[in-house]
PDB file of all heavy atoms in Angstrom:
ATOM      1  N   VAL A 131      -9.239 -15.975  18.903  1.00 98.00           N
ATOM      2  CA  VAL A 131     -10.358 -16.807  18.446  1.00 98.00           C
ATOM      3  C   VAL A 131      -9.929 -17.563  17.194  1.00 98.00           C
ATOM      4  O   VAL A 131      -9.674 -16.955  16.146  1.00 98.00           O
ATOM      5  CB  VAL A 131     -11.613 -15.960  18.144  1.00 98.00           C
ATOM      6  CG1 VAL A 131     -12.778 -16.885  17.783  1.00 98.00           C
ATOM      7  CG2 VAL A 131     -11.981 -15.080  19.326  1.00 98.00           C
ATOM      8  N   ASP A 132      -9.841 -18.875  17.281  1.00 97.00           N
ATOM      9  CA  ASP A 132      -9.471 -19.698  16.133  1.00 97.00           C
ATOM     10  C   ASP A 132     -10.659 -19.801  15.176  1.00 97.00           C
ATOM     11  O   ASP A 132     -11.764 -20.177  15.569  1.00 97.00           O
ATOM     12  CB  ASP A 132      -9.060 -21.097  16.605  1.00 97.00           C
ATOM     13  CG  ASP A 132      -8.783 -22.029  15.448  1.00 97.00           C
ATOM     14  OD1 ASP A 132      -7.859 -21.739  14.670  1.00 97.00           O
ATOM     15  OD2 ASP A 132      -9.518 -23.029  15.295  1.00 97.00           O
ATOM     16  N   VAL A 133     -10.414 -19.476  13.910  1.00 96.00           N
ATOM     17  CA  VAL A 133     -11.471 -19.474  12.900  1.00 96.00           C
ATOM     18  C   VAL A 133     -10.923 -20.044  11.589  1.00 96.00           C
ATOM     19  O   VAL A 133      -9.723 -20.231  11.433  1.00 96.00           O
ATOM     20  CB  VAL A 133     -12.003 -18.040  12.633  1.00 96.00           C
ATOM     21  CG1 VAL A 133     -12.658 -17.454  13.882  1.00 96.00           C
ATOM     22  CG2 VAL A 133     -10.880 -17.123  12.146  1.00 96.00           C
ATOM     23  N   LEU A 134     -11.831 -20.324  10.654  1.00 93.00           N
ATOM     24  CA  LEU A 134     -11.477 -20.622   9.267  1.00 93.00           C
ATOM     25  C   LEU A 134     -10.542 -21.815   9.103  1.00 93.00           C
ATOM     26  O   LEU A 134      -9.729 -21.856   8.172  1.00 93.00           O
ATOM     27  CB  LEU A 134     -10.850 -19.387   8.609  1.00 93.00           C
ATOM     28  CG  LEU A 134     -11.676 -18.102   8.671  1.00 93.00           C
ATOM     29  CD1 LEU A 134     -10.855 -16.920   8.135  1.00 93.00           C
ATOM     30  CD2 LEU A 134     -12.962 -18.235   7.893  1.00 93.00           C
ATOM     31  N   GLU A 135     -10.642 -22.804   9.998  1.00 93.00           N
ATOM     32  CA  GLU A 135      -9.832 -24.003   9.835  1.00 93.00           C
ATOM     33  C   GLU A 135     -10.331 -24.811   8.641  1.00 93.00           C
ATOM     34  O   GLU A 135     -11.497 -24.762   8.276  1.00 93.00           O
ATOM     35  CB  GLU A 135      -9.861 -24.851  11.108  1.00 93.00           C
ATOM     36  CG  GLU A 135      -9.197 -24.197  12.305  1.00 93.00           C
ATOM     37  CD  GLU A 135      -7.686 -24.033  12.163  1.00 93.00           C
ATOM     38  OE1 GLU A 135      -7.099 -24.682  11.276  1.00 93.00           O
ATOM     39  OE2 GLU A 135      -7.105 -23.246  12.920  1.00 93.00           O
ATOM     40  N   GLN A 136      -9.434 -25.590   8.029  1.00 87.00           N
ATOM     41  CA  GLN A 136      -9.766 -26.280   6.792  1.00 87.00           C
ATOM     42  C   GLN A 136     -10.298 -27.694   6.994  1.00 87.00           C
ATOM     43  O   GLN A 136     -10.862 -28.280   6.080  1.00 87.00           O
ATOM     44  CB  GLN A 136      -8.519 -26.336   5.905  1.00 87.00           C
ATOM     45  CG  GLN A 136      -7.964 -24.967   5.569  1.00 87.00           C
ATOM     46  CD  GLN A 136      -6.641 -25.054   4.834  1.00 87.00           C
ATOM     47  OE1 GLN A 136      -6.577 -25.547   3.720  1.00 87.00           O
ATOM     48  NE2 GLN A 136      -5.580 -24.583   5.470  1.00 87.00           N
ATOM     49  N   GLY A 137     -10.106 -28.262   8.185  1.00 80.00           N
ATOM     50  CA  GLY A 137     -10.513 -29.633   8.415  1.00 80.00           C
ATOM     51  C   GLY A 137     -12.026 -29.828   8.358  1.00 80.00           C
ATOM     52  O   GLY A 137     -12.792 -28.978   8.798  1.00 80.00           O
ATOM     53  N   LYS A 138     -12.463 -30.967   7.824  1.00 82.00           N
ATOM     54  CA  LYS A 138     -13.884 -31.268   7.714  1.00 82.00           C
ATOM     55  C   LYS A 138     -14.399 -32.082   8.901  1.00 82.00           C
ATOM     56  O   LYS A 138     -15.602 -32.144   9.140  1.00 82.00           O
ATOM     57  CB  LYS A 138     -14.154 -32.027   6.409  1.00 82.00           C
ATOM     58  CG  LYS A 138     -13.864 -31.191   5.168  1.00 82.00           C
ATOM     59  CD  LYS A 138     -14.176 -31.945   3.891  1.00 82.00           C
ATOM     60  CE  LYS A 138     -13.907 -31.090   2.652  1.00 82.00           C
ATOM     61  NZ  LYS A 138     -14.205 -31.820   1.395  1.00 82.00           N
ATOM     62  N   ASP A 139     -13.493 -32.720   9.627  1.00 88.00           N
ATOM     63  CA  ASP A 139     -13.864 -33.517  10.798  1.00 88.00           C
ATOM     64  C   ASP A 139     -13.693 -32.645  12.041  1.00 88.00           C
ATOM     65  O   ASP A 139     -12.564 -32.340  12.434  1.00 88.00           O
ATOM     66  CB  ASP A 139     -12.971 -34.751  10.886  1.00 88.00           C
ATOM     67  CG  ASP A 139     -13.307 -35.645  12.079  1.00 88.00           C
ATOM     68  OD1 ASP A 139     -14.060 -35.207  12.967  1.00 88.00           O
ATOM     69  OD2 ASP A 139     -12.805 -36.781  12.121  1.00 88.00           O
ATOM     70  N   PRO A 140     -14.783 -32.214  12.687  1.00 88.00           N
ATOM     71  CA  PRO A 140     -14.675 -31.307  13.844  1.00 88.00           C
ATOM     72  C   PRO A 140     -13.782 -31.838  14.957  1.00 88.00           C
ATOM     73  O   PRO A 140     -13.003 -31.080  15.543  1.00 88.00           O
ATOM     74  CB  PRO A 140     -16.126 -31.155  14.305  1.00 88.00           C
ATOM     75  CG  PRO A 140     -16.937 -31.434  13.086  1.00 88.00           C
ATOM     76  CD  PRO A 140     -16.186 -32.496  12.349  1.00 88.00           C
ATOM     77  N   LYS A 141     -13.894 -33.134  15.257  1.00 91.00           N
ATOM     78  CA  LYS A 141     -13.092 -33.703  16.336  1.00 91.00           C
ATOM     79  C   LYS A 141     -11.601 -33.651  15.999  1.00 91.00           C
ATOM     80  O   LYS A 141     -10.774 -33.277  16.835  1.00 91.00           O
ATOM     81  CB  LYS A 141     -13.527 -35.138  16.617  1.00 91.00           C
ATOM     82  CG  LYS A 141     -14.894 -35.254  17.286  1.00 91.00           C
ATOM     83  CD  LYS A 141     -15.199 -36.694  17.649  1.00 91.00           C
ATOM     84  CE  LYS A 141     -16.556 -36.791  18.363  1.00 91.00           C
ATOM     85  NZ  LYS A 141     -16.882 -38.192  18.716  1.00 91.00           N
ATOM     86  N   ALA A 142     -11.277 -34.020  14.772  1.00 90.00           N
ATOM     87  CA  ALA A 142      -9.877 -33.999  14.356  1.00 90.00           C
ATOM     88  C   ALA A 142      -9.339 -32.573  14.321  1.00 90.00           C
ATOM     89  O   ALA A 142      -8.201 -32.305  14.730  1.00 90.00           O
ATOM     90  CB  ALA A 142      -9.726 -34.652  12.983  1.00 90.00           C
ATOM     91  N   THR A 143     -10.175 -31.641  13.874  1.00 92.00           N
ATOM     92  CA  THR A 143      -9.754 -30.245  13.823  1.00 92.00           C
ATOM     93  C   THR A 143      -9.534 -29.695  15.221  1.00 92.00           C
ATOM     94  O   THR A 143      -8.551 -28.995  15.485  1.00 92.00           O
ATOM     95  CB  THR A 143     -10.793 -29.392  13.078  1.00 92.00           C
ATOM     96  OG1 THR A 143     -10.955 -29.901  11.751  1.00 92.00           O
ATOM     97  CG2 THR A 143     -10.343 -27.941  12.993  1.00 92.00           C
ATOM     98  N   ASN A 144     -10.457 -30.007  16.127  1.00 93.00           N
ATOM     99  CA  ASN A 144     -10.296 -29.570  17.513  1.00 93.00           C
ATOM    100  C   ASN A 144      -8.996 -30.091  18.105  1.00 93.00           C
ATOM    101  O   ASN A 144      -8.270 -29.359  18.792  1.00 93.00           O
ATOM    102  CB  ASN A 144     -11.477 -30.043  18.360  1.00 93.00           C
ATOM    103  CG  ASN A 144     -12.720 -29.211  18.145  1.00 93.00           C
ATOM    104  OD1 ASN A 144     -12.659 -28.084  17.664  1.00 93.00           O
ATOM    105  ND2 ASN A 144     -13.875 -29.755  18.491  1.00 93.00           N
ATOM    106  N   ALA A 145      -8.706 -31.355  17.838  1.00 93.00           N
ATOM    107  CA  ALA A 145      -7.475 -31.958  18.373  1.00 93.00           C
ATOM    108  C   ALA A 145      -6.249 -31.269  17.794  1.00 93.00           C
ATOM    109  O   ALA A 145      -5.265 -31.012  18.508  1.00 93.00           O
ATOM    110  CB  ALA A 145      -7.449 -33.448  18.051  1.00 93.00           C
ATOM    111  N   SER A 146      -6.301 -30.940  16.504  1.00 91.00           N
ATOM    112  CA  SER A 146      -5.179 -30.274  15.852  1.00 91.00           C
ATOM    113  C   SER A 146      -4.965 -28.870  16.421  1.00 91.00           C
ATOM    114  O   SER A 146      -3.828 -28.462  16.682  1.00 91.00           O
ATOM    115  CB  SER A 146      -5.442 -30.183  14.341  1.00 91.00           C
ATOM    116  OG  SER A 146      -4.411 -29.477  13.690  1.00 91.00           O
ATOM    117  N   VAL A 147      -6.064 -28.142  16.633  1.00 95.00           N
ATOM    118  CA  VAL A 147      -5.961 -26.793  17.188  1.00 95.00           C
ATOM    119  C   VAL A 147      -5.434 -26.853  18.617  1.00 95.00           C
ATOM    120  O   VAL A 147      -4.569 -26.061  19.010  1.00 95.00           O
ATOM    121  CB  VAL A 147      -7.332 -26.078  17.141  1.00 95.00           C
ATOM    122  CG1 VAL A 147      -7.269 -24.736  17.871  1.00 95.00           C
ATOM    123  CG2 VAL A 147      -7.769 -25.868  15.693  1.00 95.00           C
ATOM    124  N   ASP A 148      -5.942 -27.790  19.411  1.00 95.00           N
ATOM    125  CA  ASP A 148      -5.487 -27.937  20.797  1.00 95.00           C
ATOM    126  C   ASP A 148      -3.986 -28.229  20.850  1.00 95.00           C
ATOM    127  O   ASP A 148      -3.261 -27.693  21.697  1.00 95.00           O
ATOM    128  CB  ASP A 148      -6.251 -29.058  21.498  1.00 95.00           C
ATOM    129  CG  ASP A 148      -7.707 -28.698  21.744  1.00 95.00           C
ATOM    130  OD1 ASP A 148      -8.101 -27.552  21.459  1.00 95.00           O
ATOM    131  OD2 ASP A 148      -8.464 -29.578  22.206  1.00 95.00           O
ATOM    132  N   ALA A 149      -3.525 -29.099  19.929  1.00 91.00           N
ATOM    133  CA  ALA A 149      -2.104 -29.447  19.893  1.00 91.00           C
ATOM    134  C   ALA A 149      -1.262 -28.228  19.523  1.00 91.00           C
ATOM    135  O   ALA A 149      -0.188 -28.005  20.092  1.00 91.00           O
ATOM    136  CB  ALA A 149      -1.866 -30.578  18.895  1.00 91.00           C
ATOM    137  N   PHE A 150      -1.762 -27.430  18.596  1.00 92.00           N
ATOM    138  CA  PHE A 150      -1.052 -26.214  18.193  1.00 92.00           C
ATOM    139  C   PHE A 150      -0.911 -25.266  19.375  1.00 92.00           C
ATOM    140  O   PHE A 150       0.176 -24.740  19.634  1.00 92.00           O
ATOM    141  CB  PHE A 150      -1.809 -25.535  17.042  1.00 92.00           C
ATOM    142  CG  PHE A 150      -1.177 -24.250  16.573  1.00 92.00           C
ATOM    143  CD1 PHE A 150      -0.307 -24.254  15.499  1.00 92.00           C
ATOM    144  CD2 PHE A 150      -1.440 -23.037  17.197  1.00 92.00           C
ATOM    145  CE1 PHE A 150       0.290 -23.078  15.056  1.00 92.00           C
ATOM    146  CE2 PHE A 150      -0.854 -21.854  16.764  1.00 92.00           C
ATOM    147  CZ  PHE A 150       0.015 -21.880  15.695  1.00 92.00           C
ATOM    148  N   VAL A 151      -1.995 -25.038  20.098  1.00 94.00           N
ATOM    149  CA  VAL A 151      -1.972 -24.119  21.240  1.00 94.00           C
ATOM    150  C   VAL A 151      -1.012 -24.620  22.306  1.00 94.00           C
ATOM    151  O   VAL A 151      -0.233 -23.855  22.884  1.00 94.00           O
ATOM    152  CB  VAL A 151      -3.391 -23.921  21.812  1.00 94.00           C
ATOM    153  CG1 VAL A 151      -3.348 -23.088  23.092  1.00 94.00           C
ATOM    154  CG2 VAL A 151      -4.303 -23.257  20.775  1.00 94.00           C
ATOM    155  N   ALA A 152      -1.056 -25.919  22.563  1.00 92.00           N
ATOM    156  CA  ALA A 152      -0.156 -26.499  23.566  1.00 92.00           C
ATOM    157  C   ALA A 152       1.297 -26.334  23.141  1.00 92.00           C
ATOM    158  O   ALA A 152       2.171 -26.026  23.961  1.00 92.00           O
ATOM    159  CB  ALA A 152      -0.492 -27.971  23.777  1.00 92.00           C
ATOM    160  N   GLU A 153       1.559 -26.543  21.856  1.00 88.00           N
ATOM    161  CA  GLU A 153       2.928 -26.438  21.342  1.00 88.00           C
ATOM    162  C   GLU A 153       3.451 -25.007  21.419  1.00 88.00           C
ATOM    163  O   GLU A 153       4.633 -24.783  21.661  1.00 88.00           O
ATOM    164  CB  GLU A 153       2.954 -26.925  19.889  1.00 88.00           C
ATOM    165  CG  GLU A 153       4.338 -27.148  19.333  1.00 88.00           C
ATOM    166  CD  GLU A 153       4.319 -27.760  17.938  1.00 88.00           C
ATOM    167  OE1 GLU A 153       3.393 -27.455  17.157  1.00 88.00           O
ATOM    168  OE2 GLU A 153       5.238 -28.520  17.630  1.00 88.00           O
ATOM    169  N   MET A 154       2.564 -24.030  21.255  1.00 90.00           N
ATOM    170  CA  MET A 154       2.986 -22.631  21.318  1.00 90.00           C
ATOM    171  C   MET A 154       3.402 -22.222  22.725  1.00 90.00           C
ATOM    172  O   MET A 154       4.225 -21.332  22.899  1.00 90.00           O
ATOM    173  CB  MET A 154       1.860 -21.718  20.825  1.00 90.00           C
ATOM    174  CG  MET A 154       1.599 -21.792  19.328  1.00 90.00           C
ATOM    175  SD  MET A 154       3.049 -21.409  18.328  1.00 90.00           S
ATOM    176  CE  MET A 154       3.331 -19.694  18.772  1.00 90.00           C
ATOM    177  N   GLY A 155       2.833 -22.838  23.738  1.00 90.00           N
ATOM    178  CA  GLY A 155       3.243 -22.555  25.110  1.00 90.00           C
ATOM    179  C   GLY A 155       3.106 -21.094  25.477  1.00 90.00           C
ATOM    180  O   GLY A 155       2.080 -20.461  25.212  1.00 90.00           O
TER     181      GLY A 155
END
Side-chain angles (χ1 to χ4, degrees):
V131 185
D132 175 62
V133 297
L134 306 173
E135 294 293 344
Q136 301 173 65
K138 295 182 179 180
D139 181 347
K141 289 185 178 179
T143 301
N144 283 340
S146 177
V147 173
D148 290 355
F150 179 95
V151 174
E153 192 174 34
M154 289 303 296

